[in-house]
Amino acid sequence: MQALLEIILAIDWPEIGTASLDTLIMLGASLLFTALAGLPLGVLLFLTGPRQLLRQPAVYGALSFAVNVLRSLPFIILLILMIPITVKITGTSLGVAGAIPPLVVATTPFFARLVETSLREVDRGIVEAMLASGASTRQIVLWALLPEALPGIIAALTVTAITLVAYTAMSGVIGGGGLGDLAVRFGYQRFRTDVMVVTVLLLLILVQVLQMAGDRLVHHFSRK
């Protein structure tokens, strides 16, 4: 018991708190930008897809190819490839600011594809009924497709948020800040097993909280 207490007291808790806050900032900002970019991209993928309202095989093929290419890139490779672009956008490739652009680029195609899948699950009869009543494409999207697919979109956002937690930890390898950076600098490079254990536990708790919150929202908005 005395040994455990000494280990706990030896941990730099203010440093842990700062790293946790950095992770939350990276997660929140990246999730916001991913939703803002990924939702319209997912809607566009759906509308231009086969047998849809704005069927455009060339546009759908180009968008689908770009999404697949970005999704197939390992995140650690994307981090390195984006360093020049990240520096132009934020002025640095390190810390919280340097991690957000590659996080957004990595998860936006992922979220967009999940949005497209959610929209495909909407009952086509609802769309046809609105078309028969003279509704425009914009009205169908805003009043029928998005409300009907809302539980699926929330579930997609939850999965994306959990993926972002893993990516924020990975960004610590190149100095991205947050708990991942702390785990690399103290847990790995300085052999501080206690710090590594604490960071892993905090990441596990964060994932559990995100999943529980997402499940509650899906249940709340689901009509089934």
Side-chain angles (χ1 to χ4, degrees):
M1 188 64 185
Q2 181 66 28
L4 179 61
L5 184 62
E6 290 177 356
I7 292 174
I8 293 174
L9 291 175
I11 296 174
D12 189 349
W13 291 106
E15 187 77 22
I16 295 280
T18 302
S20 300
L21 182 61
D22 286 347
T23 293
L24 292 176
I25 292 172
M26 282 193 289
L27 175 62
S30 302
L31 191 61
L32 174 63
F33 288 121
T34 296
L36 291 176
L39 183 60
L41 179 58
V43 171
L44 188 59
L45 275 168
F46 172 76
L47 291 176
T48 57
R51 295 180 300 165
Q52 300 305 333
L53 296 172
L54 303 177
R55 180 176 174 273
Q56 291 288 339
V59 175
Y60 179 78
L63 289 175
S64 187
F65 177 75
V67 165
N68 289 341
V69 167
L70 287 174
R71 288 180 61 195
S72 64
L73 277 176
F75 181 62
I76 192 69
I77 302 296
L78 183 65
L79 272 172
I80 297 169
L81 287 176
M82 281 201 61
I83 285 177
I85 301 173
T86 302
V87 171
K88 285 186 178 179
I89 295 173
T90 65
T92 178
S93 64
L94 302 175
V96 173
I100 291 175
L103 287 171
V104 174
V105 171
T107 51
T108 293
F110 177 72
F111 178 60
R113 191 64 88 184
L114 292 178
V115 170
E116 180 195 9
T117 303
S118 298
L119 292 173
R120 282 181 178 174
E121 293 175 356
V122 175
D123 185 357
R124 190 167 180 80
I126 297 174
V127 176
E128 291 175 350
M130 290 198 69
L131 278 174
S133 66
S136 65
T137 300
R138 179 173 173 273
Q139 290 171 328
I140 292 173
V141 170
L142 294 179
W143 296 353
L145 289 173
L146 290 179
E148 288 294 324
L150 186 57
I153 293 173
I154 294 173
L157 200 60
T158 303
V159 174
T160 305
I162 291 172
T163 303
L164 273 169
V165 172
Y167 284 175
T168 59
M170 204 182 301
S171 68
V173 175
I174 62 166
L179 291 170
D181 179 55
L182 193 68
V184 171
R185 286 191 294 113
F186 288 84
Y188 178 69
Q189 294 176 347
R190 302 183 189 179
F191 305 104
R192 290 288 302 274
T193 305
D194 52 348
V195 175
M196 182 70 83
V197 170
V198 170
T199 54
V200 169
L201 286 176
L202 288 173
L203 290 171
L204 287 174
I205 291 170
L206 181 57
V207 168
Q208 289 298 318
V209 169
L210 288 171
Q211 187 63 62
M212 289 173 62
D215 289 345
R216 282 180 176 270
L217 287 173
V218 169
H219 180 72
H220 177 75
F221 287 102
S222 178
R223 299 178 182 177
K224 297 180 181 177

